């Protein structure tokens, strides 16, 4: 399954997690491989999150990256 398909399959669930503001597709900085990018207001240490709010490291074989972007504002 490619990154776009995996994103589409899991986006609704990811958007319900604490601090998540968006989900997209990007490229890994080191390998150039496609990744799912989960945008959050701020990163929180895993041990301070409820188990159900932890962003998975991999979805459908596609790596997941978490990117803190702060509070989104209307343009």
């Amino acid at each position: 399954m490619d990154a776009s398909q995996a994103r589409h399959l899991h986006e609704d669930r990811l958007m319900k997690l604490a601090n998540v503001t968006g989900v997209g597709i990007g490229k890994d900085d080191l390998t150039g491989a496609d990744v799912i990018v989960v945008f959050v207001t701020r990163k929180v240490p895993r041990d301070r999150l409820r188990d159900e709010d932890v962003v998975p490291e991999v979805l459908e074989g596609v790596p997941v990256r978490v990117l803190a972007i702060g509070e989104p504002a209307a343009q």
Side-chain angles (χ1 to χ4, degrees):
M1 180 174 293
D2 69 20
S4 180
Q5 292 170 319
R7 173 190 167 209
H8 180 72
L9 185 63
H10 294 280
E11 185 170 15
D12 289 342
R13 182 176 63 85
L14 291 169
M15 288 299 296
K16 293 177 184 172
L17 301 180
N19 299 319
V20 173
T21 59
V23 180
I25 303 293
K27 297 281 185 186
D28 184 273
D29 290 340
L30 298 176
T31 67
D34 287 341
V35 297
I36 297 170
V37 181
V38 178
F39 301 99
V40 296
T41 53
R42 59 187 165 75
K43 285 191 174 185
V44 176
R46 185 181 207 109
D47 63 350
R48 294 187 56 209
L49 288 170
R50 299 178 308 166
D51 288 342
E52 58 268 22
D53 285 326
V54 174
V55 175
E57 294 181 10
V58 176
L59 290 169
E60 308 299 329
V62 179
V64 177
R65 301 293 182 259
V66 177
L67 181 61
I69 61 169
E71 293 290 337
Q75 297 293 316

